[in-house]
Amino acid sequence: MSAQSHGGYYLPAPSYWPVLGSSALLGLTIGGALFIHHVAGGGWILLLGFALLVWMLFGWFGQVIGESEKGLFNKQVDVGFRWSMSWFIFSEVMFFSAFFGALYYVRMLSVPDLAAGDNALLWPGYTGGWPTGGPGAKSAFESMSAWGIPAWNTLILLTSGVTVTWAHWGLKKGNRGQLIAGLFATVALGLTFLSLQAYEYHHAYTELGLTLGSGVYGSTFFMLTGFHGFHVTLGTIMLIVITGRSLAGHFKPESHFAFEAVSWYWHFVDVVWLGLFIFVYWL
Amino acid sequence: MEAHAMEHGHGAPKGITRWLTTTNHKDIGTMYLWFAGAMFLFAGLMAMGIRAELFQPGMQIMSPEFFNQLTTLHGLIMVFGAIMPAMAGFANWQIPLMIGAPDMAFPRMNNWSFWILPAAAILLVLSMFVPGGAVATGWTLYPPLYIQGGISYDLTIFAVHILGASSIMASLNIITTILNMRAPGMTMMKMPLFVWTWLITAFLLIAVMPVLAGAVTMLLTDRNFGTHFFDAAGGGDPVLFQHVFWFFGHPEVYILILPAFGLVSTVIPTFARKPLFGYSSMVYATASIAILSFLVWAHHMFTVGMPTAGQLYFMYATMLIAVPTGVKVFNWVATMWKGSLTFETPMLFAIGFVSMFTIGGFTGLVLAMAPIDIQMQDTYYVVAHFHYVLVSGALFAIYAGVYYWLPKWTGHMYNETLGKWHFWLSMISFNVLFFPQHFLGMAGMPRRIPDYALQFTEFNQISSIGGFMFGASQILMLIVIVQAIRGGKKAEAKVWEGAQGLEWTVASPPPYHTFETAPEVK
């Protein structure tokens, strides 16, 4: 935790990207609310907000990558990126913990309480248990088994953690071939995971009768796996970006923070998945 | 590299472009503070509406629905639009100056953190004008009521989402700046206490804003996409929301007050002309409060039904917070003890803070006791309690900080006479406004109700008169600030005789860029 500031800390010039980002968020939120309520034009505002966001992300990250390649970031800037990325991942952990907390709460407290004797008048005959659609469930569903696609997906994500580390070793040894091969393998594994996840959702909706509306089981199942899948999607996009950068000759064996940030993020989605596999699919 | 920094160092864009695109911590701090001031006046007007309606029993000037919308927006905007941005404004202006850093760690992200706030404000203001009006659930957004509202409820959810994004980015920036950008020699235990309190606050924000995002996301999907998190028929439970919300909500109240502790710990030593008493115990007390804040959330929920063991645990854990808080109050008093005290406006507000916040702390202890809380839940006693800690607590500390650094920021001394008038009018009218609400609460008057039984009339009238006085007094603040910006006696670099710290080594107002080469801290 050394604090060294002898000048040369890169201070960026004024930038339009932040206000563009705020406009994008305004479009996404207003458009989203209108779209949900079927107000005409809502979808277009939503789309405009999304387009602005994509433009902002491309432009802003593009500019930062350019600055990095020009060597404007000294060691102190690099350390700052590391602190910030670590705390950002911590904030993501806390986001998931809200939904894990909801899962534990419904399994340990609300469902058993609803099935307890003092609710017999309100919900006669409800026995609780897990999975459950709740005492007012209108249609039956089957839960998702852990030992099919989810087990394969666990293997896929764990393997992708190995391949991204192998790519990192390649980068540090100056072996660009190993770096690029490792990244391609990781991206391929990420896409495979996402495809299997999409197939699983299709299977749930069409054959198991398991939907977002299937009581708390469906709610927690789809929210947890859905947000995880969304994070894997982001991670895969990030991996594709650093693969492209590696092909373009970016990153040096001694300085490649962007690569490390993406791999930290990738390990984070991996760890979240292990939690999902145990608590959502298995137990 | 040096050459490049120079190239960007000069010639900030002029006019509106400067403010839209700025990457300067001073500009961004200024925008945060003006935004907070504007939102404070806006949400303050809502409070005036609430007090006007409550001046007499019966329905006077507004519908009950609109009354509930006012209480909700007043709370949401004061918390997320006024107090938090004001504290972020201090962080932006002062942290780089106090630790000898050239700017915040990520200047562009810093600008984005600010510019998200107006977008969120637009969403909240817009929500008042859509069919069905704004959210009327109170700032706590409880289901099942929240599930039933119209489009404004979704706008509010999205506003909370982007406010959370803003807070998280601001906190990443602040944490990184503090951990990574301190001048050589500025060890952690030499940092000004304000910097310490913001470091811990930023940690709290990063830990709990995502939890709030999760909570409102569940509201969003329960409302629109058929999930059953908060619906017993589907196996869920409305109380689940309260747990998740208060897991955010209790640390949130420390997010509002810890930087205030930092401000007061900066102001009191200056005007007592003594170093802060028990610096390291202040640091540890702040950290203890932060850790405890994660372990006490269900004391907001004593009446929802929980096992006695749970009530006991949350009661004792909550009362434990009084220990580190007491350490702080005693340290402030001990700092003043035998000091060469003078009573300029910042000091008056700081002393006002210590005395009034302590009352708010004591009523917090009263409410922490489960058997008493079951009587007091959702009464005006609770309203009185949290206004003592938020108005005479967080807001008075903000005022102390504004008067303290206004000469540094503007380069001009403010009008001390008007400042003192502002303090005394605020202090007196605040107590006229909120003290009677303790009695109202103990007598059983419920909060968030536009009408009340006849026997509550006198105290409500006293309270409303205090409210209008308090509201009017705040205009003085605006006058003092505008005067100081436009001119006045030149401020020296070291504005206050007893002031300590790096920010007093640069000119008043400081040059656009400061500490591009780090100072040496002994």
Side-chain angles (χ1 to χ4, degrees):
Chain A
M1 219 185 284
S2 73
Q4 294 297 314
S5 186
H6 296 296
Y9 191 90
Y10 178 69
L11 295 178
S15 168
Y16 274 108
W17 298 122
V19 271
L20 184 69
S22 293
S23 315
L25 290 181
L26 195 59
L28 280 173
T29 48
I30 291 181
L34 294 177
F35 182 69
I36 289 172
H37 289 268
H38 311 290
V39 179
W44 290 108
I45 301 173
L46 182 66
L47 211 61
L48 175 71
F50 187 71
L52 286 177
L53 187 72
V54 172
W55 181 25
M56 184 276 280
L57 289 171
F58 263 91
W60 194 338
F61 276 106
Q63 191 177 343
V64 174
I65 290 167
E67 289 162 357
S68 169
E69 288 303 304
K70 271 190 263 174
L72 299 177
F73 299 155
N74 64 9
K75 184 85 182 94
Q76 195 187 2
V77 177
D78 192 71
V79 172
F81 285 152
R82 280 160 205 279
W83 275 120
S84 189
M85 189 68 194
S86 317
W87 285 106
F88 170 67
I89 289 176
F90 174 62
S91 81
E92 292 272 47
V93 170
M94 293 308 292
F95 180 74
F96 275 98
S97 59
F99 294 96
F100 274 109
L103 176 67
Y104 301 145
Y105 183 89
V106 295
R107 289 193 63 172
M108 294 299 149
L109 293 166
S110 75
V111 168
D113 281 357
L114 284 167
D118 49 353
N119 279 317
L121 275 180
L122 198 53
W123 310 107
Y126 180 64
T127 53
W130 192 261
T132 179
K138 294 201 177 55
S139 53
F141 63 88
E142 280 179 65
S143 65
M144 191 61 70
S145 158
W147 301 108
I149 289 174
W152 282 108
N153 266 344
T154 307
L155 204 62
I156 288 168
L157 272 194
L158 288 175
T159 312
S160 75
V162 174
T163 54
V164 79
T165 305
W166 186 66
H168 193 195
W169 289 348
L171 173 54
K172 287 211 280 197
K173 282 184 298 190
N175 184 343
R176 305 293 292 191
Q178 183 178 333
L179 162 68
I180 288 159
L183 281 176
F184 265 103
T186 314
V187 170
L189 287 167
L191 292 173
T192 313
F193 174 92
L194 287 170
S195 313
L196 287 174
Q197 200 71 352
Y199 173 79
E200 183 189 86
Y201 275 21
H202 180 74
H203 175 65
Y205 266 79
T206 54
E207 286 160 51
L208 300 182
L210 172 61
T211 69
L212 196 56
S214 301
V216 275
Y217 180 82
S219 307
T220 51
F221 175 83
F222 281 106
M223 289 290 264
L224 276 159
T225 57
F227 272 115
H228 177 263
F230 173 65
H231 281 75
V232 174
T233 310
L234 287 183
T236 308
I237 293 170
M238 286 153 67
L239 282 167
I240 291 171
V241 170
I242 59 165
T243 309
R245 289 187 64 189
S246 301
L247 287 169
H250 292 192
F251 305 132
K252 290 194 257 325
E254 68 284 353
S255 89
H256 46 261
F257 169 71
F259 180 99
E260 286 174 86
V262 174
S263 78
W264 292 354
Y265 196 80
W266 194 250
H267 290 308
F268 151 71
V269 297
D270 205 352
V271 170
V272 173
W273 174 261
L274 291 179
L276 290 181
F277 182 72
I278 294 169
F279 294 108
V280 175
Y281 289 99
W282 188 3
L283 295 179
Chain B
M1 223 176 284
E2 195 66 17
H4 193 88
M6 295 295 287
E7 177 186 313
H8 288 309
H10 304 289
K14 296 279 179 287
I16 183 76
T17 312
R18 167 178 169 188
W19 302 101
L20 285 176
T21 65
T22 185
T23 47
N24 181 289
H25 73 100
K26 302 181 185 78
D27 283 355
I28 294 169
T30 304
M31 290 196 293
Y32 263 115
L33 288 164
W34 275 112
F35 178 83
M39 288 297 116
F40 172 69
L41 293 178
F42 182 55
L45 277 178
M46 294 179 174
M48 296 300 105
I50 292 168
R51 281 319 321 169
E53 175 58 50
L54 290 175
F55 190 74
Q56 283 179 22
M59 301 309 298
Q60 259 67 242
I61 49 176
M62 59 183 77
S63 68
E65 293 81 13
F66 188 65
F67 181 90
N68 286 346
Q69 293 171 22
L70 284 188
T71 54
T72 305
L73 282 180
H74 167 76
L76 280 174
I77 295 178
M78 281 298 188
V79 168
F80 291 104
I83 304 289
M84 284 168 74
M87 294 303 183
F90 282 113
N92 265 289
W93 252 103
Q94 291 310 128
I95 289 175
L97 286 180
M98 286 176 142
I99 64 172
D103 206 295
M104 297 292 281
F106 309 111
R108 283 175 292 216
M109 186 167 81
N110 198 17
N111 186 27
W112 199 22
S113 303
F114 170 75
W115 278 106
I116 288 174
L117 297 182
I122 290 171
L123 291 176
L124 287 178
V125 173
L126 194 68
S127 79
M128 297 177 76
F129 299 101
V130 296
V135 169
T137 60
W139 84 286
T140 48
L141 317 176
Y142 282 0
L145 184 57
Y146 203 89
I147 307 297
Q148 299 161 10
I151 189 169
S152 66
Y153 287 62
D154 294 311
L155 287 170
T156 304
I157 287 170
F158 289 138
V160 170
H161 276 137
I162 66 174
L163 284 166
S166 158
S167 292
I168 290 167
M169 285 192 286
S171 303
L172 295 176
N173 224 330
I174 288 167
I175 273 197
T176 307
T177 306
I178 297 172
L179 292 178
N180 190 42
M181 312 262 300
R182 279 169 287 125
M186 173 79 73
T187 58
M188 295 294 275
M189 292 310 275
K190 278 187 193 164
M191 292 195 310
L193 205 80
F194 176 71
V195 180
W196 257 114
T197 55
W198 244 115
L199 177 68
I200 291 165
T201 303
F203 162 73
L204 287 179
L205 277 165
I206 292 172
V208 301
M209 289 311 282
V211 176
L212 176 66
V216 297
T217 304
M218 288 187 255
L219 283 179
L220 183 77
T221 56
D222 265 21
R223 281 172 51 76
N224 301 299
F225 305 115
T227 58
H228 293 88
F229 288 107
F230 310 130
D231 179 4
D237 185 355
V239 176
L240 167 61
F241 179 83
Q242 299 191 18
H243 280 290
V244 183
F245 179 86
W246 285 113
F247 185 82
F248 146 81
H250 201 75
E252 169 68 20
V253 302
Y254 296 114
I255 288 163
L256 301 171
I257 205 67
L258 291 185
F261 290 167
L263 292 169
V264 169
S265 303
T266 311
V267 170
I268 288 181
T270 299
F271 297 98
R273 291 164 182 79
K274 272 176 67 191
L276 184 67
F277 185 90
Y279 170 89
S280 53
S281 69
M282 285 297 220
V283 172
Y284 299 136
T286 311
S288 310
I289 291 171
I291 291 162
L292 286 172
S293 75
F294 289 104
L295 308 173
V296 297
W297 74 90
H299 68 215
H300 297 270
M301 307 160 52
F302 280 142
T303 55
V304 300
M306 80 174 76
T308 310
Q311 292 191 326
L312 281 174
Y313 161 73
F314 282 109
M315 174 171 102
Y316 288 128
T318 304
M319 293 167 98
L320 207 55
I321 299 180
V323 177
T325 313
V327 167
K328 285 179 166 292
V329 172
F330 285 124
N331 278 345
W332 290 319
V333 175
T335 306
M336 287 186 270
W337 180 253
K338 291 190 175 176
S340 313
L341 296 170
T342 50
F343 299 95
E344 288 87 344
T345 312
M347 183 61 163
L348 289 175
F349 271 109
I351 296 173
F353 170 96
V354 174
S355 45
M356 293 294 106
F357 175 81
T358 304
I359 294 179
F362 280 138
T363 54
L365 269 178
V366 171
L367 289 170
M369 287 180 256
I372 297 180
D373 184 78
I374 289 165
Q375 299 297 312
M376 301 288 202
Q377 171 93 19
D378 275 336
T379 68
Y380 260 83
Y381 194 88
V382 178
V383 177
H385 157 68
F386 68 72
H387 282 95
Y388 265 82
V389 288
L390 282 178
V391 179
S392 60
L395 182 69
F396 275 19
I398 289 169
Y399 282 157
V402 167
Y403 281 107
Y404 185 64
W405 283 308
L406 201 56
K408 172 57 64 186
W409 297 338
T410 63
H412 302 293
M413 293 306 289
Y414 61 86
N415 184 330
E416 188 65 54
T417 316
L418 274 187
K420 287 204 166 85
W421 271 99
H422 176 221
F423 168 74
W424 285 110
L425 283 173
S426 296
M427 183 74 173
I428 293 164
S429 60
F430 167 81
N431 280 291
V432 176
L433 163 57
F434 288 111
F435 207 78
Q437 295 187 4
H438 293 109
F439 307 134
L440 285 171
M442 283 192 281
M445 179 171 161
R447 67 192 282 209
R448 294 174 177 162
I449 300 282
D451 190 6
Y452 50 83
L454 222 51
Q455 69 267 30
F456 300 133
T457 310
E458 281 83 357
F459 280 137
N460 268 297
Q461 292 191 332
I462 296 169
S463 182
S464 286
I465 290 167
F468 301 139
M469 275 170 62
F470 186 81
S473 313
Q474 305 321 305
I475 296 166
L476 281 179
M477 179 78 191
L478 196 62
I479 295 171
V480 172
I481 293 173
V482 172
Q483 274 185 352
I485 291 171
R486 296 179 63 158
K489 188 167 148 271
K490 275 292 207 207
E492 295 158 21
K494 191 175 170 189
V495 177
W496 310 108
E497 186 194 29
Q500 301 288 328
L502 288 173
E503 77 262 41
W504 308 108
T505 63
V506 297
S508 302
Y512 199 57
H513 292 286
T514 36
F515 298 129
E516 282 179 292
T517 305
E520 203 59 56
V521 178
K522 298 282 181 313

